[in-house]
Amino acid sequence: MIESLPRIPRGEYPARWERAQEVLRRENLDLLIAYADDRHTYGAAYARYYADVPVCFEPALVLFAPGEDPKLLVGPETVGYAAEVGAVPDIVALREFAAENEDYPFTELVPLKDVAAGRGIRRLGLGGLSLMGAEIYESIRGAFPEAELVKMDAMLEPLRGVKSPAELEVIRYAYRLANLGMGAALAAVRPGATERAIAAEAEYAMRKAGGEGTGIDTIVCSGPNTRHILGRTTMRRVGKDDLVLITVAPRYEGYHGACARSVIVGNPGQRVIDSVRAQVRAQNVCGENLIAGRVGSEVEALGRAVMAEAGFGENFLYSGLHSVGVIEFEPPILGPSSRTVLEDNMVISVDIPLFEADIMGSRTEDGYLIVNGRPERLTTAPQLIFK
């Protein structure tokens, strides 16, 4: 039943606010502002995590002052929706977020400088600084001209790494959607099918089962379209001897699942087949070693070693392990330079890439939950697929 699907309970949000308060105290901040917008991949994270508001059209700020519940600062067209669905009851229509050529005669628009008037802001923490446009940044700078601005993402993002029981239930369901989407996509792969038709089957299956969208666009690439990391889905038709790369990343209640498979159609060549087999070996050695207490980069190195031994070490072009949550690939990112230690109740995606090679590119990605110190695989699709 749709009514029984998991959700994050309202009682969980005050605990999140308290963790933000701990950051304020530790960093000696007079104010903390976390920015959010509707950018597809990263934008909504702070508003969804702290306020359960799916940002749309207008940006949002979550404002924390020491010892107080947060305020949600939004544009005038967001106020009613945020009050209905969100977890933060104190909502302010911010003048700076009103569309320049629009009139809102029945909404009180409050300038940002008035929201925290009289507080004597000396140190102001900013989350999401890299997402802000110049106009919004200048509005914040102008509202608090004497304040030292402190970039806070490196302190706020790790707070999301270890998941609560409620988060884990929601993420499990997101991975269920990923499994449904991948199953539908795999069933649609055949010579002559277009990439977009295959993607449409995946997205339909995920939407029908409760998906609210995707963390990244569904990727279905075939043949020469697979060579680059940022492959885009086109109207190319799958050939009779081809490789089809599929990546699905459904979003459910703000959280994500992710799965990628490289489908061998006919005979695209022995070296291509060998490369996918190597990816599967690398995937599994990393997955088996996602053990609480281990350093994540040391686990990732095991996968790199497998790919290097197979002759594809230089095609492992990005960090192969990352957390999954309100961003599809969010910190901790467990690449070679990371020293993050794995913990229970982390959800880790193992993403083994092969791109910018002299053969077709590919990716194998599975999600794991670390529970009772050991990995539990959340993705169910077969890893080596011949069509």
Side-chain angles (χ1 to χ4, degrees), residues 52-70:
D52 197 21
V53 172
V55 188
C56 180
F57 180 59
E58 297 173 324
L61 301 175
V62 186
L63 184 147
F64 292 92
E68 299 178 13
D69 287 346

Side-chain angles (χ1 to χ4, degrees), residues 227-343:
R227 293 191 187 279
H228 307 299
I229 297 172
L230 298 179
R232 310 303 293 165
T233 302
T234 72
M235 289 301 292
R236 183 183 185 274
R237 295 186 183 277
V238 176
K240 66 180 181 64
D241 294 309
D242 227 341
L243 190 75
V244 181
L245 167 60
I246 304 169
T247 304
V248 297
R251 184 175 65 248
Y252 169 74
E253 294 298 310
Y255 289 79
H256 299 89
C259 181
R261 291 293 183 265
S262 300
V263 184
I264 299 164
V265 179
N267 184 8
Q270 191 59 48
R271 192 154 178 261
V272 170
I273 295 171
D274 289 344
S275 72
V276 177
R277 290 186 185 277
Q279 278 188 333
V280 171
R281 293 195 302 273
Q283 169 66 229
N284 289 335
V285 74
C286 288
E288 292 162 3
N289 283 277
L290 290 172
I291 297 169
R294 296 204 63 172
V295 177
S297 58
E298 294 175 357
V299 177
E300 195 235 26
L302 299 174
R304 288 187 178 274
V306 171
M307 296 303 289
E309 183 180 2
F312 303 108
E314 294 183 357
N315 306 112
F316 198 135
L317 293 177
Y318 52 73
S319 299
L321 274 66
H322 61 79
S323 182
V324 179
V326 290
I327 301 173
E328 186 270 331
F329 46 99
E330 70 177 11
I333 309 297
L334 306 171
S337 64
S338 171
R339 301 309 298 166
T340 298
V341 175
L342 299 171
E343 299 181 54

Side-chain angles (χ1 to χ4, degrees), residues 32-37 39 42-47 50 59-62 125-134 136-137 140 150-157 160 327:
L32 170 62
I33 294 176
Y35 172 81
D37 59 29
R39 290 189 213 185
Y42 300 98
Y46 285 124
Y50 289 118
L61 301 175
V62 186
L126 293 179
L129 178 60
S130 63
L131 297 174
M132 293 179 191
I136 292 174
Y137 173 80
I140 294 173
V150 184
K151 188 174 181 178
M152 295 300 299
D153 296 294
M155 284 151 260
L156 293 174
E157 289 173 336
R160 305 197 298 262
I327 301 173

